[in-house]
């Protein structure tokens, strides 16, 4: 009897949101919302009833919407950020397909923020989500004047920079490898150029950017801290065009246009630095024969087969090349490919089928009189994903699907000539298979309460062939097992619940609560704060258990002054299991027994984040502040006591302001301040055989100096009515020339070796930049 009651209750919970479908006859209007000028689908556009704005829907990641209503006459209000609101009369007597085009608000004097967009943060149940406006990015001053998505998200609360000029970032106390970075659903590893000074993402190729810091939807998995989901532009379906820019360090170009007008389009963007061209001017032959540059190439094409089916093909190719006169060479980069099939099965069913390829590799070439060898490494993915959305009612949307991910890692290979003093070495490749399925439901049971709940079930399998070792507490080998190709060496099964809910207190404010559990099966081993191309990646194994994180967050959200301002405060607590650290003097490079160097422990992170944004008028921008703590605990480190993680920063403040002086001039400024990172410094020294050795005590027991910097920028644009438009972007990075510490090191005083002195290495002082942009 008890089982029967539980079954009935469970049935009512799941069928309840669908039951209204059968209570009365309703019809559905569905379709895509697009930009009228380019034909680009609009993500997150709103379509609502004019008579009752509480009834409505939003477009999904592919611009599709579905709105179900009783038969009758309606006026639908369609809106999106930066576009003019459109009112459409509709006579709904049967299921209706209606594609809608919105016109840009570029000619309006003020930024266009629709009512539905402005109150989205209040009403949406999704928590910990920030959408980055690509129009804002072009005005935010950054290093060398290059528009940069990764540098911009570092100005958000809870997102910390990996260091001076670095594209690496940390979210809510997590490590750099705990961020899932997706470009058109393809995983990107080490998303940076020139060791982090530039990101791999050319902003000219990007349509939409979403950052999830908590409450991650069930369709995402494989990382603990965050999801950065980047969608590339589809290309202009109406007309051909080109735009680009020429700067001091790099130039870029974008070309797009229709394949068949209103049915298909393409876009190709490229970017390249040219520091190597200046090297040719040197009088030193060795310098002239050196290389120092990177390039990016993004390409995408789409074609609508019919009213229900659309195909997309996109790819990214980027590489860094560095070398000095044939003595050494270093190159690394990413390559991705995405093939996607969108199908509208009917007015309420939408599906997306995706095949994805990702590859990251690096090569190091050393050539000299007595050394001649190559070091190479690679990580490669094949991923098949299937996603379904069912728009049951206007208050109930189901999403479910699965993905099959195959990962292969070649950790390190050294190919050396017979005459060289370096021995050739090839570490065994590793292969893993992750099969995941998920189900989530977005439901609005009452006018005040909205909820997204879901489950993700992931099974990770480590496959042979290979030799797998077991280690004792001292890191010595105690067990050896050999597996043939296709044999299962280890597997882990994890259930990951997800929950986000919002309760609307009044029309302009709400409370939100979220909980999520995430599992991570791929791990980056690094002793540096910044993410380096040569860092080692390893899979979960018989020794390395999956990292797990449970995060709970509570937030308050409010819009005020007619939605000109948006304010939020979020607090969170995160507990992490199976965290990885290293034994003293650990060797992480080309080490067959690398797992013997690892230690395992737990972590915790907690904090409060405040965010105030002005989102209308000539003056726009935001102020963000985070008070946070991130700690780790390992039995073999610091006598088992808790200690700060390397990315622990108590205070982090960012202020961004953009002011439209006139139709042609925009000025901007960014100020950042943060507490210094936790760092391990020597506590003493001793001498052995005439050599001075440093003595270390507690891990991360010291702090780098506080960091602060002011950047300013200005943009002049030609008249918007011209077919050929140009603009000039001026910037000053580190305007008051602050010498922020990049490295603190120690040395003996030259005059008195008994005295030890610390010295600071600053990476950047004041750096001006100028870029000429064009569009036609």
């Amino acid at each position: 009897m008890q089982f029967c009651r539980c079954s009935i209750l469970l049935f009512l919970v799941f069928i309840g949101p669908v039951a209204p479908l059968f209570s009365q006859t309703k019809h559905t209007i569905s379709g895509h919302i697009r930009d009228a000028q380019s034909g680009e689908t609009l993500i997150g556009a709103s379509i609502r009833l004019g008579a009752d704005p509480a009834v409505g829907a939003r477009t999904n990641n592919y611009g599709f919407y579905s709105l179900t209503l009783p038969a009758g006459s309606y006026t639908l209000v369609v809106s999106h950020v930066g576009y003019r609101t459109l009112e459409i009369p509709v006579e709904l007597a049967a299921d209706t397909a209606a594609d809608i085009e919105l016109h840009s608000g570029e000619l309006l004097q003020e930024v266009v923020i629709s009512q539905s967009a402005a109150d989205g943060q209040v009403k949406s149940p999704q928590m910990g989500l920030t959408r980055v406006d690509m129009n804002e990015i072009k005005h935010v001053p950054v290093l060398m004047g290059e528009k940069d998505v990764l540098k911009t998200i570092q100005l958000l609360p809870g997102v910390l920079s990996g260091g001076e000029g670095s594209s690496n970032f940390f979210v809510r106390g997590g490590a750099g490898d705990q961020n899932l970075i997706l470009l058109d659903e393809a995983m990107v590893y080490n998303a940076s150029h020139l060791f982090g000074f530039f990101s791999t993402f050319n902003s000219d190729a990007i349509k939409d950017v979403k950052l999830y810091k908590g409450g991650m939807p069930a369709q995402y998995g494989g990382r603990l801290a965050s999801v950065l989901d980047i969608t590339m532009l589809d290309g202009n379906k109406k007309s051909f065009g080109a735009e680009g820019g020429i700067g001091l360090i790099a130039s870029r170009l974008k070309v797009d246009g229709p394949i068949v007008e209103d049915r298909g389009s393409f876009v190709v963007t490229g970017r390249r630095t040219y520091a190597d061209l200046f090297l040719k001017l040197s009088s030193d032959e060795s310098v002239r024969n050196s290389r120092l540059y990177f390039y990016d190439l993004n390409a995408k094409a789409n074609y609508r087969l019919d009213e229900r089916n659309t195909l997309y093909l996109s790819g990214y190719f980027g590489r860094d090349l560095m070398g000095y006169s044939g003595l050494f060479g270093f190159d690394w980069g990413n390559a991705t490919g995405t093939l996607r099939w969108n199908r509208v099965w009917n007015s309420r069913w939408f599906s997306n089928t995706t095949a994805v390829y990702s590859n990251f590799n690096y090569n190091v070439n050393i050539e000299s009189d007595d050394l001649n060898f190559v070091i190479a490494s690679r990580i490669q993915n094949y991923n098949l994903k299937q996603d379904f959305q069912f728009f049951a009612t206007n208050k109930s949307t189901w999403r479910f699907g699965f993905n099959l991910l195959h990962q292969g890692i070649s950790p390190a290979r050294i190919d050396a000539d017979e005459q060289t003093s370096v021995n050739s070495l090839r570490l065994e490749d590793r292969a893993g298979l992750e099969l995941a399925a998920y189900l989530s439901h977005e439901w609005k049971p009452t006018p005040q309460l909205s909820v997204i709940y879901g489950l993700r079930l992931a099974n990770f399998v480590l496959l042979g062939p290979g030799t797998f070792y077991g280690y004792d507490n001292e890191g010595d080998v105690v067990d050896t097992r050999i597996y043939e190709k296709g044999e299962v060496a280890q597997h882990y099964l994890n259930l990951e619940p997800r929950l986000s809910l919002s309760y609307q207190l009044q029309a302009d404010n709400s409370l939100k609560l979220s909980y999520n559990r995430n599992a991570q099966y791929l791990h980056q081993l690094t002793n540096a704060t910044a993410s380096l191309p040569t860092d080692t990646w390893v899979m979960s194994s018989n020794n390395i258990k999956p990292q797990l994180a449970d995060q709970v967050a509570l937030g308050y959200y409010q819009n005020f002054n007619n939605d000109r301002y948006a304010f939020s405060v979020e607090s969170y607590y995160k507990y992490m299991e199976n965290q990885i650290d290293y034994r003293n003097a650990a060797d992480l490079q080309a080490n067959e027994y690398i797992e013997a160097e690892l230690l395992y422990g737990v972590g915790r992170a907690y904090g409060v984040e405040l965010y105030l944004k002005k989102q209308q008028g000539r003056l726009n921008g935001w102020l963000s502040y985070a008070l946070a703590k991130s700690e780790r605990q390992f039995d073999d480190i610091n006598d088992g006591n808790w200690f700060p993680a390397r990315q622990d920063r108590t205070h982090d403040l960012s202020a961004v302001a953009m002011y439209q002086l006139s139709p042609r001039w925009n000025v901007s400024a960014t100020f950042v301040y943060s507490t210094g990172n936790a760092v391990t410094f020597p506590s003493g020294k001793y001498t052995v055989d005439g050599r001075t050795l440093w003595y270390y005590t507690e891990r991360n027991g010291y702090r780098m100096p506080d960091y602060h910097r002011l950047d300013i920028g200005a943009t002049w644009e030609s008249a918007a009515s011209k077919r050929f438009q140009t603009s000039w972007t001026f910037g000053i990075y580190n305007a008051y020339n602050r010498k922020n510490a990049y490295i603190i090191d120690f040395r003996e005083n030259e005059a008195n070796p008994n005295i030890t002195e610390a010295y600071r290495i600053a990476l950047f002082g004041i750096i001006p930049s100028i870029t000429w942009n064009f569009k036609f």
Side-chain angles (χ1 to χ4, degrees):
M1 181 63 69
Q2 183 68 30
F3 173 77
C4 181
R5 290 176 181 173
C6 292
S7 300
I8 293 174
L9 179 61
L10 185 63
F11 175 78
L12 291 176
V13 168
F14 277 86
I15 201 63
V18 186
L21 287 173
F22 306 99
S23 60
Q24 56 181 308
T25 301
K26 294 186 177 182
H27 302 296
T28 301
I29 180 171
S30 62
H32 292 81
I33 299 178
R34 295 186 171 92
D35 180 296
Q37 184 177 359
S38 67
E40 285 274 356
T41 56
L42 300 178
I43 301 172
S46 170
I47 179 167
R48 298 182 180 274
L49 288 185
D52 186 3
V55 178
R58 291 183 181 274
T59 56
N60 64 11
N61 284 349
Y62 314 102
F64 179 79
Y65 74 92
S66 177
L67 184 63
T68 301
L69 302 166
S73 300
Y74 300 95
T75 297
L76 300 180
V77 180
V78 187
S79 59
H80 190 53
V81 177
Y83 289 82
R84 303 176 188 180
T85 299
L86 179 66
E87 295 187 358
I88 304 174
V90 172
E91 187 70 32
L92 198 59
D95 286 355
T96 302
D99 289 344
I100 301 170
E101 292 187 338
L102 293 181
H103 290 270
S104 170
E106 290 179 352
L107 301 180
L108 301 183
Q109 292 184 351
E110 291 193 350
V111 176
V112 179
I113 302 289
S114 66
Q115 171 70 24
S116 59
D119 64 16
Q121 74 150 0
V122 172
K123 295 181 178 179
S124 171
Q126 184 62 58
M127 190 175 180
L129 168 64
T130 300
R131 301 189 80 135
V132 179
D133 187 344
M134 298 306 297
N135 288 323
E136 288 180 340
I137 287 180
K138 69 180 182 180
H139 294 303
V140 176
V142 294
L143 179 65
M144 300 298 184
E146 289 290 305
K147 295 183 292 183
D148 199 311
V149 170
L150 295 189
K151 299 290 176 56
T152 302
I153 67 171
Q154 293 172 8
L155 302 172
L156 299 173
V159 184
L160 302 180
S161 165
E164 176 80 272
S166 175
S167 296
N168 195 31
F169 62 98
F170 310 108
V171 177
R172 290 186 172 177
D177 70 323
Q178 294 175 356
N179 304 308
L180 177 62
I181 302 176
L182 301 174
L183 179 64
D184 268 7
E185 302 186 54
M187 293 183 188
V188 178
Y189 302 90
N190 197 282
S192 63
H193 290 300
L194 291 181
F195 299 102
F197 299 136
F198 299 89
S199 80
T200 60
F201 304 115
N202 185 348
S203 295
D204 288 345
I206 297 174
K207 174 165 66 173
D208 184 71
V209 179
K210 294 190 291 289
L211 175 68
Y212 296 90
K213 299 182 294 183
M216 275 83 88
Q219 64 265 28
Y220 298 109
R223 298 292 189 275
L224 300 190
S226 73
V227 177
L228 182 63
D229 193 350
I230 301 174
T231 303
M232 288 171 54
L233 288 164
D234 296 330
N236 196 316
K237 292 183 175 66
K238 307 285 188 178
S239 61
F240 290 94
E243 61 181 278
I246 300 174
L248 294 179
I249 192 171
S251 291
R252 65 189 196 280
L253 176 67
K254 180 181 82 170
V255 179
D256 64 347
I259 298 174
V260 177
E261 188 171 348
D262 289 327
R263 291 186 66 95
S265 61
F266 75 93
V267 58
V268 178
T269 68
R271 178 177 59 161
R272 190 191 190 278
T273 58
Y274 30 70
D276 57 314
L277 300 182
F278 295 101
L279 299 180
K280 302 297 183 183
L281 303 177
S282 174
S283 59
D284 188 325
E285 183 179 357
S286 296
V287 175
R288 290 200 305 270
N289 293 331
S290 298
R291 299 184 303 172
L292 178 61
Y293 68 92
F294 71 79
Y295 66 85
D296 291 310
L297 178 65
N298 296 75
K300 190 172 183 178
N302 69 91
Y303 187 77
R304 191 169 73 249
L305 302 175
D306 53 39
E307 295 305 315
R308 295 184 179 272
N309 297 279
T310 305
L311 292 178
Y312 299 83
L313 177 63
S314 62
Y316 165 78
F317 313 91
R319 201 144 198 92
D320 284 70
L321 294 99
M322 304 176 63
Y324 182 73
S325 189
L327 296 180
F328 75 87
F330 187 16
D331 66 273
W332 72 91
N334 285 278
T336 72
T338 303
L339 176 62
R340 180 188 300 125
W341 170 38
N342 282 175
R343 176 167 175 80
V344 180
W345 293 92
N346 57 42
S347 59
R348 291 183 179 145
W349 280 95
F350 181 90
S351 77
N352 183 59
T353 306
T354 311
V356 184
Y357 169 79
S358 297
N359 180 82
F360 171 78
N361 67 80
Y362 72 80
N363 299 280
V364 180
N365 300 279
I366 305 296
E367 296 181 14
S368 65
D369 294 337
D370 57 345
L371 292 176
N372 191 349
F373 63 93
V374 177
I375 305 174
S377 180
R378 183 185 65 184
I379 178 169
Q380 187 171 260
N381 290 342
Y382 297 93
N383 196 0
L384 177 63
K385 303 174 64 177
Q386 177 63 60
D387 299 283
F388 292 98
Q389 279 183 285
F390 174 52
F391 302 88
T393 70
N394 298 330
K395 299 180 180 180
S396 173
T397 301
W398 294 88
R399 183 164 184 168
F400 58 94
F402 68 87
N403 75 279
L404 179 63
L405 171 65
H406 181 275
Q407 293 183 319
I409 297 178
S410 298
R413 185 186 78 247
I414 301 177
D415 295 326
D417 287 350
E418 295 182 358
Q419 295 80 14
T420 189
S421 58
V422 175
N423 295 324
S424 295
L425 172 68
R426 185 182 184 94
L427 299 186
E428 291 184 334
D429 293 351
R430 289 288 184 256
L433 194 65
E434 182 181 342
L435 176 62
Y438 73 91
L439 171 68
S440 68
H441 182 211
E442 183 172 352
W443 183 28
K444 191 175 180 64
T446 72
Q448 293 78 31
L449 180 63
S450 300
V451 59
I452 303 175
Y453 60 92
L455 287 173
R456 181 181 180 87
L457 179 65
N459 184 34
F460 175 80
V461 180
L462 181 65
L463 301 172
T467 302
F468 299 84
Y469 302 103
Y471 303 93
D472 61 17
N473 293 333
E474 303 301 321
D476 297 323
V477 176
V478 295
D479 180 45
T480 302
R481 298 185 181 182
I482 299 176
Y483 293 89
E484 300 299 326
K485 183 176 181 179
E487 285 191 279
V488 176
Q490 186 71 39
H491 84 92
Y492 296 96
L493 183 68
N494 282 290
L495 186 64
E496 305 170 34
R498 313 287 173 86
L499 171 68
S500 294
L501 58 86
S502 171
Y503 187 81
Q504 195 164 344
L505 303 172
Q506 297 176 347
D508 60 356
N509 56 33
S510 65
L511 286 173
K512 295 186 184 183
L513 175 69
S514 71
Y515 164 76
N516 56 266
R517 162 167 275 220
N518 293 76
Q520 180 167 330
Y521 307 98
L522 187 67
H523 321 278
Q524 185 182 36
L525 306 183
T526 176
N527 278 323
T529 302
S531 178
L532 300 176
T534 54
D535 289 337
T536 301
W537 291 85
V538 295
M539 295 179 183
S540 291
S541 65
N542 53 312
N543 299 298
I544 307 174
K545 294 182 173 58
Q547 298 183 65
L548 302 174
D550 292 274
Q551 177 177 273
V552 60
L554 177 67
Y556 173 78
Y557 302 79
Q558 172 142 18
N559 291 344
F560 51 94
N561 195 10
N562 294 322
D563 294 319
R564 285 182 176 269
Y565 297 89
F567 171 77
S568 67
V569 54
E570 294 187 17
S571 60
Y572 65 92
Y573 181 87
K574 182 192 300 184
Y575 184 77
M576 296 167 279
E577 301 177 57
N578 305 325
Q579 299 300 284
I580 298 174
D581 213 308
Y582 315 103
R583 301 180 187 274
N584 292 330
D587 179 11
L588 303 181
Q589 297 298 323
N591 185 351
E592 181 181 3
Y593 305 99
I594 192 170
E595 294 182 11
E597 307 281 5
L598 307 183
L599 301 174
Y600 307 99
V602 296
R604 63 189 180 194
Y606 47 91
V608 178
E609 301 167 358
L610 291 87
Y611 186 59
L612 176 64
K613 183 174 185 179
K614 187 176 185 297
Q615 50 193 11
Q616 295 185 40
R618 296 172 67 180
L619 175 65
N620 289 280
W622 65 87
L623 179 67
S624 71
Y625 169 74
L627 174 66
K629 192 71 178 174
S630 180
E631 299 175 304
R632 302 293 185 266
Q633 189 269 321
F634 292 78
D635 291 341
D636 296 325
I637 300 176
N638 280 13
D639 297 323
N641 297 316
W642 288 92
F643 62 91
R646 284 177 296 169
Q647 61 270 23
D648 177 63
R649 294 181 203 163
T650 307
H651 304 284
D652 188 72
L653 172 72
S654 298
V656 179
M658 294 164 284
Y659 185 70
Q660 194 71 40
L661 277 174
S662 68
R664 295 191 178 184
W665 277 101
N666 181 285
V667 294
S668 59
T670 297
F671 176 77
V672 295
Y673 168 85
S674 66
T675 306
N677 288 340
V679 65
T680 302
F681 287 149
S683 301
K685 64 180 182 179
Y686 56 95
T687 302
V688 176
D689 295 331
R691 291 195 311 134
T692 298
L693 302 177
W694 302 113
Y695 173 68
Y696 296 89
T697 54
E698 57 183 319
R699 183 76 61 93
N700 294 342
Y702 297 86
R703 291 280 172 180
M704 294 287 284
D706 291 355
Y707 182 98
H708 53 88
R709 189 189 76 244
L710 173 68
D711 306 330
I712 57 178
T715 300
W716 177 88
E717 298 181 350
S718 63
S721 59
K722 294 182 179 179
R723 174 60 180 167
F724 182 79
Q725 300 176 35
T726 63
S727 66
W728 288 90
T729 301
F730 308 91
I732 299 179
Y733 180 87
N734 196 5
Y736 54 80
N737 201 28
R738 161 76 175 180
K739 294 298 192 294
N740 288 295
Y742 186 68
I743 296 174
I744 298 289
D745 208 348
F746 296 85
R747 62 191 175 194
E748 294 178 345
N749 184 278
E750 291 184 2
N752 186 354
N754 294 321
I755 297 176
T756 301
E757 58 185 13
Y759 64 97
R760 171 190 305 197
I761 297 177
L763 194 61
F764 296 122
I766 185 171
I767 300 179
S769 64
I770 181 172
T771 303
W772 177 66
N773 307 289
F774 61 87
K775 180 179 181 180
F776 58 87

